[in-house]
């Protein structure tokens, strides 16, 4: 259907429907609400789609104050690296280095781009730097009334980016009085404490006074948590299959090269091999005399990093030298005014603002010196390291090149400040029995990064290294004051890069009843959504001269217009059966137009049994960053063998043991939109009062899925992607072309389960129990077009983990002024990543199964003091450590544990007090 024809149809319906509908006095109307998943206001609990509702009271009693804690309670959310802990990452080719401490929703594990986050039913701005999705840290948590999670795709109703589902955050809109609250969350082992204070106030009764004005402010502070504060964060456990895969050590490893002290390689007695790296501590079995260092475990990584480089080298547990919770501060504010013009009409204005400051602290830079770069250690330098005692061919008359973790330069420290805001004016009401709402909003998110430490101008820093004043072989890490002063002069501190998104939106909807059918009223909704979206990403200073500078290349301001119209109908077929029919037409000025239909049904043959289901299509346009991000050249963290080159040149270290690979990442303007077909089928039973159970099967098929193609994946698929491996004239690799591609697609199926129960017992006791769980039966996709689809459920993977079962559950008891809440979160185990790319035999202590992870929380609330509520609780009641995993830290952060699954804070004690002023 053409856009113009559909618009004319909706316009015609919008004009004629009020005439067909009968007028109804306001006093006789049943209170109706708009449920996420439909634009038609209806009596609550009616609907054909599965919606999970999370109340503010439940969040408060569980001590949930952050976005990542919130997402852990939603079983339909993916298990991916969409949180600040995973995002605080410089290694891992799939890392989002511009997320700036943001938290994202990723329903069904389809990625943040595929989950639509709404505030009071309307869009919020996407994160300023990454531009891919709404940063949940920008939501004013203190003002939340409830959260509605639609677990079914809703592209036909809300927009093309709702393939994975919709998260509608409902804020308080008519508060009266003044309430202050203070919250603390302190860990038992120390580190990672959380504090929050909030104030909410409002005046005016909308019904009696005709207006309400309210506002809320909140401030949250998260303390730093370091890996060194938790014993489980240990990347050197070789007996269990875990050890660091790096030779970039604080006590440097010497490298080979023509014209250097080690020459083009060295041999050991009775050994035909020619080795390419050397460390005197390794020869003496003393690598572990330096903190964080160990003997490189060649057997674990012999097919990943060549034994010619690793056998006589030390390694460094940089994964264990990691910040597990970044220090951060967030401030949020909401101001809203609502005025009642008449019994059926009201207007409102709303402003939401947030400011988030996150300090990202990464390990010091790893560098490899060379003669060409002028940073080799000179002959005659005071710290010249002579290896003649270990290597007879060592030439002490030539300079040394080495691989080094530059600790004296300092931890790479970035401050990301994100300011987000939305100004909205709107009106809503009833005209002759028809509900309407219209709104005009302007939103933006801006993220600014400053480099605080650990970054230097490359040429200046290399010149200092080449002077010999710095000692890369200091056993205790100390340097002379003269050396530290010279390093300090090379550093860059200050403004570095800025990203900004904006959105201007005009939207409107009408809904009501058209006419009577034999089985009931035919209801409909129609509306429009007009948006202009912009994105820019700019460097405040030239990034190229700065050593290992983070982020993406410049992206000049890009913009696009989106025009959409939609219609929705509720058709009563029989007394027990009704259909939901919806269609939406979106027209992107850059991508093109798409029409997406949706069909759902609701069948209730008896009062205690309900059947429901849906089928729909989706369309996801590429984001600005996926399309336009400039090319950026970076170094691959781990030494991956050139399998194609090594097969053609066996034994040649240039191919079989290369020192490193560079890769180029960036946008791809040839990307096609993702498309999807999906559906649900479920039932709800209520066999007796006080208990209900729901089970909903879901399935999603996606085509042309947009994935960030890592350099590692390109190399693993070298035969299929030869055009992405750029070689020098001699056949060696110059660089790998990585970035965004349209992959073959994805297919996922599963079941959502919901249980609800409540009742009374004893002398005035009330109880309530809930469980929301997701069973993922299958998740298959192919990295490259033409490859067979591979199953990933229950298996380690570098982007997302697709766990078989996840759930969150609560059980509460209350009587009088007291209430108690027991909560539980569970995540199923999975098959671990096998060392050495799965080749050979792992060590005897390697367990291929990562165990499940479960946490309990307990809290009690007392309201017996006038105007006061006090909640005291314990999170992670049994102090469960994250399950052990031997994954390669170059692929996923976390040495011995995985932040995608587990909370590293351990047992924590919460205290929350609220006082309401009269």
């Amino acid at each position: 259907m053409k856009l113009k024809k559909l618009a004319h149809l909706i316009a015609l319906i919008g004009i004629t429907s009020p005439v067909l509908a009968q007028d109804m006095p306001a006093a006789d109307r049943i209170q109706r609400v708009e449920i996420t998943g439909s634009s038609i206001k209806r009596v609550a609990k009616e609907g054909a789609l599965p919606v999970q509702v999370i109340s503010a009271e439940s969040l408060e009693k569980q001590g949930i104050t952050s976005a990542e804690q919130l997402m852990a309670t939603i079983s339909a959310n993916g298990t991916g690296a969409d949180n600040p802990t995973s995002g605080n990452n410089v290694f891992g080719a799939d890392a989002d280095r511009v997320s700036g401490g943001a938290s994202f929703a990723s329903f069904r594990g389809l990625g943040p781009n595929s989950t639509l986050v709404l505030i009071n039913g309307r869009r919020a701005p996407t994160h300023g730097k990454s531009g891919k999705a709404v940063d949940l840290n920008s939501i004013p948590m203190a003002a939340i009334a409830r959260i509605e999670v639609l677990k079914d795709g809703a592209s036909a109703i809300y927009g093309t980016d709702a393939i994975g589902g919709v998260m509608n955050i409902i804020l308080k809109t008519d508060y009266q009085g003044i309430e202050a609250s203070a919250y603390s969350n302190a860990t038992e082992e120390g580190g990672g404490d959380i504090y929050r204070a909030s104030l909410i106030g409002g005046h005016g009764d909308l019904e009696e006074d005709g207006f309400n004005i309210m506002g809320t402010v909140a401030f949250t502070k998260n303390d730093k948590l370091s890996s060194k504060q938790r014993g489980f964060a240990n990347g050197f456990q070789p007996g269990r299959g875990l050890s660091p895969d790096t030779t970039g050590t604080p006590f440097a490893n010497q490298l080979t090269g023509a014209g250097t002290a080690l020459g083009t390689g060295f041999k050991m007695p009775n050994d035909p091999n020619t080795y390419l790296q050397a460390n005197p501590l390794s020869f003496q079995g003393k690598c572990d005399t330096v903190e964080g260092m160990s003997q490189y475990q060649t057997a674990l990584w012999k097919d990943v990093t060549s034994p010619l480089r690793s056998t006589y080298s030390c390694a460094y547990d940089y994964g264990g030298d990691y910040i597990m919770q970044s220090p951060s501060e967030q401030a949020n504010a909401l101001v809203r005014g609502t005025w009642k013009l008449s019994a059926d009409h009201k207007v409102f204005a709303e402003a939401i603002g947030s400011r988030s400051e996150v300090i990202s602290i990464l390990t010091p830079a790893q560098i490899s010196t060379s003669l060409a770069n002028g940073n080799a250690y000179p002959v005659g330098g005071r710290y010249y390291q002579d290896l003649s005692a270990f290597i007879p061919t060592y030439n002490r008359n030539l300079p040394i090149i080495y691989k080094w973790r530059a600790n004296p330069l300092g931890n790479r420290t970035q401050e990301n400040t994100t300011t987000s805001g939305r100004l909205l004016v709107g009106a809503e009401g009833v005209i002759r029995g028809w509900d309407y709402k219209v709104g005009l909003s302007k939103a933006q998110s801006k993220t600014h990064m400053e480099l605080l430490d650990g970054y230097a101008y490359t040429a200046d820093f290399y010149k200092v290294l080449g002077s010999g004043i710095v000692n890369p072989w200091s056993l205790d890490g100390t340097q002379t004051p003269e050396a530290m002063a010279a390093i300090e002069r090379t550093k860059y501190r200050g403004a570095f890069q800025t990203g900004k998104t904006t959105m201007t939106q005009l939207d409107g909807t009408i809904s009501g009843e058209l006419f009577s059918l034999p089985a009931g009223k035919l209801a409909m909704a129609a509306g429009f959504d007009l948006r202009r979206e912009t994105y820019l990403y700019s460097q405040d200073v030239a990034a190229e001269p700065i050593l290992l500078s983070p982020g993406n290349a410049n992206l000049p301001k890009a913009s696009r217009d989106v025009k959409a119209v939609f219609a929705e109908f509720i058709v009563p077929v029989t007394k027990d059966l009704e259909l939901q029919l919806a269609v939406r037409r979106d027209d992107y000025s850059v991508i093109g137009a798409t029409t997406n239909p949706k069909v759902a049904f609701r069948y209730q043959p008896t009062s205690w049994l309900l059947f429901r289901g849906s089928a729909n299509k989706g369309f996801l346009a590429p984001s600005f960053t996926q399309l336009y991000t400039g090319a950026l050249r970076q170094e691959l963290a781990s030494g991956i063998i050139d399998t194609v080159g090594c097969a053609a040149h066996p034994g040649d270290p240039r191919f079989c043991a290369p020192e490193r690979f560079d890769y180029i990442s960036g946008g791809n303007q040839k990307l096609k939109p993702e498309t999807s077909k999906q559906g649900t089928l479920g039932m709800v039973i209520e066999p007796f009062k006080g208990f209900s159970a729901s089970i909903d099967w879901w399935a999603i098929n996606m085509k042309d899925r947009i994935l960030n193609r890592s350099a590692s994946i390109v190399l693993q698929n070298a035969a299929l992607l030869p055009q992405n491996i750029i070689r020098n004239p001699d056949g060696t690799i110059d660089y790998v072309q990585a970035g965004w591609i349209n992959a073959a697609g994805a297919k996922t199926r599963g079941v959502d389960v919901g249980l609800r129960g409540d009742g009374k017992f004893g002398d005035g006791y009330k109880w309530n129990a809930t469980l929301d769980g997701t069973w993922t039966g299958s998740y298959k996709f192919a990295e490259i077009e033409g490859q067979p689809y591979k199953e990933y459920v229950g298996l380690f993977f570098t982007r997302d983990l697709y766990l078989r079962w996840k759930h969150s559950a609560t059980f509460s008891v209350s009587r009088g002024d007291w209430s108690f809440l027991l909560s539980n979160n569970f995540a199923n185990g999975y098959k671990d990543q096998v060392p050495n790319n799965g080749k050979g035999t792992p060590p005897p202590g390697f367990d291929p199964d990562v165990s499940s992870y479960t946490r309990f929380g307990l809290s009690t609330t007392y309201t017996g003091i006038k105007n006061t509520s006090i909640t005291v609780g314990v999170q992670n009641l049994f102090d469960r450590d994250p399950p052990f995993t031997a994954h390669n830290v170059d692929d996923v952060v976390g040495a011995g544990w995985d932040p995608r699954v587990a909370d590293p804070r351990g047992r924590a004690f919460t205290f929350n007090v609220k006082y309401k002023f009269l």
Side-chain angles (χ1 to χ4, degrees):
M1 181 182 295
K2 298 296 185 181
L3 177 62
K4 184 179 293 185
K5 291 182 179 178
L6 183 60
H8 288 168
L9 172 63
I10 292 175
L12 181 62
I13 293 173
I15 293 171
T16 60
S17 297
V19 178
L20 296 172
Q22 294 181 354
D23 290 343
M24 182 183 298
D28 296 336
R29 295 193 190 112
I30 299 174
Q31 180 61 42
R32 293 178 294 167
V33 296
E34 183 178 331
I35 302 296
T36 301
S38 173
S39 297
I40 299 174
K41 289 189 175 183
R42 323 182 65 210
V43 177
K45 292 189 178 181
E46 294 183 17
L49 304 177
V51 178
Q52 176 185 353
V53 180
I54 304 170
S55 68
E57 180 184 13
S58 177
L59 297 176
E60 182 180 287
K61 289 183 176 180
Q62 293 181 67
I64 293 173
T65 59
S66 66
E68 52 268 31
Q69 291 174 334
L70 167 63
M71 299 316 299
T73 69
I74 301 175
S75 62
N77 193 57
T79 310
D82 302 306
N83 56 73
T85 303
S86 297
N88 186 31
N89 181 16
V90 71
F91 42 79
D94 287 317
D96 182 356
R97 295 176 177 83
V98 296
S99 62
S103 288
F104 302 106
S106 176
F107 291 172
R108 308 300 185 204
L110 297 177
N113 295 39
S114 298
T115 300
L116 179 59
V117 176
L118 305 174
I119 301 177
N120 288 343
R122 287 186 167 93
R123 291 173 176 263
T126 56
H127 183 251
K129 280 181 69 177
S130 71
K132 63 183 180 182
V134 175
D135 176 13
L136 299 179
N137 290 324
S138 67
I139 307 299
M141 294 282 288
I144 290 177
R146 68 184 183 278
I147 298 171
E148 296 178 351
V149 178
L150 174 63
K151 301 179 182 181
D152 175 61
S155 295
I157 298 172
Y158 291 109
T160 62
D161 45 358
I163 291 176
V166 178
M167 183 176 180
N168 192 6
I169 300 171
I170 310 298
L171 303 181
K172 299 170 183 175
T173 57
D174 58 354
Y175 188 84
Q176 297 180 59
I178 301 175
E179 181 180 273
S181 69
Y183 170 86
S184 67
N185 184 319
T187 63
E188 184 175 287
E189 294 186 67
D193 293 348
I194 302 172
Y195 306 95
R196 188 176 80 174
S198 66
L199 180 68
I200 182 170
H203 175 66
D205 183 284
L206 201 59
E207 297 301 323
E208 295 183 4
D209 303 321
F211 75 93
N212 176 265
I213 298 176
M214 61 161 288
T216 179
V217 293
F219 177 80
T220 304
K221 183 177 185 295
N222 298 302
D223 289 343
K224 181 176 72 172
L225 176 62
S226 170
S227 291
K228 296 178 180 178
Q229 296 175 276
R230 297 294 183 266
F232 59 79
N234 175 10
F236 183 69
Q237 303 181 57
R240 305 174 75 178
L242 174 63
S243 73
D245 177 28
T246 181
T247 55
T249 51
F251 188 95
N253 289 287
Q254 291 198 26
L255 304 176
T256 54
T260 68
L262 277 180
T264 56
F266 64 93
K267 294 182 181 293
M268 300 302 291
N270 303 315
D271 188 341
N273 292 312
T274 299
Y275 293 97
L276 305 175
Q277 286 185 197
N279 193 307
L281 297 181
S282 176
F283 288 117
Q284 302 172 78
K286 295 182 178 180
C287 286
D288 58 0
T289 58
V290 177
E291 183 181 3
M293 282 177 44
S294 59
Q295 173 62 43
Y296 190 97
Q297 302 298 297
T298 298
L300 280 180
W301 303 112
K302 62 185 179 64
D303 292 297
V304 175
T305 297
S306 171
L308 302 179
R309 291 200 173 276
S310 64
T311 300
Y312 296 105
S313 296
C314 297
Y316 179 59
D317 184 14
Y318 59 105
D321 185 12
Y322 178 73
I323 302 302
M324 298 193 290
Q325 177 174 292
S326 297
S328 64
E329 295 181 354
Q330 288 94 28
N332 305 99
L334 163 71
V335 178
R336 181 183 175 98
T338 307
W339 294 268
K340 190 173 182 179
L341 303 180
S342 67
D344 291 328
H345 304 281
K346 61 182 178 181
V347 296
F348 63 90
E350 178 184 89
I352 301 174
S354 69
R355 178 182 175 87
S356 173
E357 296 180 0
V358 182
I359 305 294
S360 297
I361 305 172
L362 311 170
T363 53
Q366 173 185 274
I367 63 171
S368 296
T369 65
S370 67
L371 296 179
N373 287 331
N375 51 8
Y377 197 84
V379 176
R382 71 181 78 171
Y383 306 115
Y384 190 91
Q385 188 184 71
D386 185 357
L387 299 185
S388 299
F390 307 101
I391 303 172
T393 58
Y394 193 85
N395 190 341
R396 70 186 74 182
N397 298 311
L398 293 176
I400 301 169
I401 60 174
Y402 54 91
K403 195 169 188 178
W404 182 48
R405 178 72 56 175
N407 285 3
L409 189 58
N411 288 321
R412 284 168 286 182
T413 307
Q414 311 159 6
E415 181 181 61
N416 289 283
T417 302
T418 300
T419 55
S420 298
R422 186 184 76 175
L423 179 62
L424 166 68
V425 293
E428 56 187 50
V430 181
I431 299 177
R432 303 186 67 182
W434 281 76
D435 297 293
Y436 75 88
K437 63 178 183 179
V438 62
L440 174 65
S441 63
K442 176 74 174 182
Q444 77 169 38
S445 177
K446 182 178 181 180
T447 302
H448 176 70
M449 176 193 282
E450 291 202 4
L451 303 184
L452 304 184
D453 199 14
Y455 293 95
Y457 286 105
T458 304
D460 295 342
F461 183 61
Y462 283 179
K463 185 176 181 180
V464 170
L465 296 183
S467 72
I469 194 175
V470 175
N471 181 10
W473 300 286
S474 171
L475 284 171
D476 61 2
T478 60
Q479 301 287 333
T480 65
E482 181 186 13
M484 293 304 295
I487 292 174
E488 182 64 29
R489 288 192 292 269
T490 71
K491 290 185 179 182
Y492 174 78
R493 291 188 174 95
F496 185 65
Q497 58 194 200
T498 300
K500 181 180 178 181
T501 66
T502 69
M503 180 181 66
T504 304
Q505 181 178 23
L506 175 64
D507 65 89
T509 305
I510 60 169
S511 68
E513 296 172 344
L514 279 170
F515 48 80
S516 294
L517 294 174
K521 298 283 189 178
L522 174 66
M524 65 82 64
F528 65 91
D529 180 7
L530 309 176
R531 305 193 307 273
R532 163 158 285 192
E533 302 170 346
T534 70
Y535 178 73
L536 67 84
Y537 187 93
S538 62
Q539 300 288 348
D540 298 309
V541 297
E544 291 78 10
I546 299 175
L547 180 65
L548 296 180
S549 58
N552 293 331
N554 279 336
L555 195 167
K557 185 176 180 179
S559 64
R560 66 186 179 194
D561 295 326
V562 184
K563 304 172 184 178
V565 290
F566 61 89
E568 178 189 355
F569 298 88
I570 302 295
V571 183
V573 180
T574 68
K575 181 183 68 173
D576 304 322
L577 173 65
E578 68 178 27
L579 300 179
Q580 178 188 15
L581 309 176
V583 63
R584 182 183 178 102
R585 176 79 171 181
D586 290 87
D587 190 351
Y588 286 77
S589 60
V590 176
I591 305 300
T594 176
T595 301
N596 295 288
K598 183 183 186 77
V599 178
F601 77 92
R602 177 187 185 278
Y603 176 57
Q604 188 171 3
T606 69
S607 61
W608 57 270
L609 178 63
L610 168 72
F611 295 99
R612 62 191 179 190
S614 66
N616 53 91
K617 294 176 64 177
F619 170 101
L620 179 61
S623 69
F624 288 115
T625 53
Q626 292 169 343
L627 287 169
Y628 303 122
T629 301
L632 183 68
R633 190 162 185 147
Q634 296 172 289
E635 180 181 342
L636 202 61
S638 59
I640 298 176
I641 293 175
D642 174 9
T643 53
V644 173
C646 187
H649 304 84
D652 188 335
R654 297 176 304 160
F655 300 92
C656 303
E659 179 187 336
R660 68 176 190 177
F661 288 143
D662 280 0
Y663 70 96
I664 294 178
S665 61
N668 180 359
Q669 296 188 37
K670 297 180 180 180
L671 288 175
K672 297 182 293 183
E674 297 181 5
T675 58
S676 69
K677 295 180 180 178
Q678 56 220 80
T680 64
L681 184 63
M683 61 183 295
V684 183
I685 61 172
E686 190 175 1
F688 50 85
K689 184 179 180 181
F691 174 77
S692 66
S694 64
I695 181 169
D696 292 278
W697 174 83
W698 49 267
I700 304 172
N701 290 347
M702 298 181 67
K703 291 178 60 179
D704 297 320
R705 191 178 181 202
I706 300 171
L707 296 177
N708 191 7
R709 174 183 49 193
S710 71
S712 300
I713 291 173
V714 173
L715 288 166
Q716 292 167 12
N717 297 277
L720 292 174
L721 296 170
Q723 70 277 11
N724 290 79
I725 300 176
I726 313 304
R727 298 184 179 274
N728 296 309
D730 63 357
T732 58
I733 291 179
D734 180 16
Y735 66 91
V736 174
Q737 179 64 57
W740 296 99
I741 64 165
N742 284 112
K747 301 176 182 179
T748 181
R749 281 108 175 87
V751 174
D752 290 324
V753 176
L755 301 176
R756 299 288 183 272
D758 61 76
K760 300 178 181 180
F761 67 94
D763 183 18
Y765 290 93
K766 298 178 182 179
W767 66 272
N768 181 278
T770 69
L771 183 144
D772 288 283
T774 297
W775 181 83
T776 303
S778 177
Y779 198 112
K780 297 179 180 179
F781 65 86
E783 288 282 358
I784 309 297
E785 182 67 40
Q787 287 183 336
Y789 279 63
K790 180 181 177 181
E791 181 63 70
Y792 285 92
V793 169
L795 303 178
F796 173 86
F797 191 56
T798 56
R799 279 197 296 273
D800 286 72
L801 292 172
Y802 304 100
L803 304 183
R804 184 70 68 187
W805 173 258
K806 293 170 61 178
H807 77 241
S808 61
T810 63
F811 179 78
S812 64
V813 176
S814 62
R815 182 179 184 272
D817 297 327
W818 290 92
S819 64
F820 300 86
L821 176 71
L822 178 68
S823 62
N824 171 243
N825 288 283
F826 176 85
N828 215 106
Y830 56 95
K831 293 293 183 182
D832 205 356
Q833 184 181 32
V834 182
N836 194 33
N837 270 355
K839 299 176 182 179
T841 302
F846 172 72
D847 186 347
D849 296 306
V850 178
S851 63
S852 61
Y853 181 62
T854 185
R855 289 180 299 148
F856 288 89
L858 181 65
S859 69
T860 179
T861 300
Y862 178 65
T863 57
I865 303 174
K866 184 178 180 181
N867 302 327
T868 304
S869 172
I870 300 174
T871 300
V872 179
V874 182
Q875 293 178 329
N876 200 348
L877 183 63
F878 300 107
D879 200 21
R880 173 75 185 274
D881 282 342
F884 174 80
T885 167
H887 70 252
N888 183 357
V889 77
D890 278 340
D891 294 324
V892 176
V893 299
W897 71 290
D898 196 323
R900 297 176 298 177
V901 176
D903 182 353
R905 298 173 69 248
R907 183 185 290 129
F909 303 97
T910 65
F911 178 79
N912 186 29
V913 58
K914 295 194 302 182
Y915 182 79
K916 188 166 185 177
F917 302 86
L918 293 180

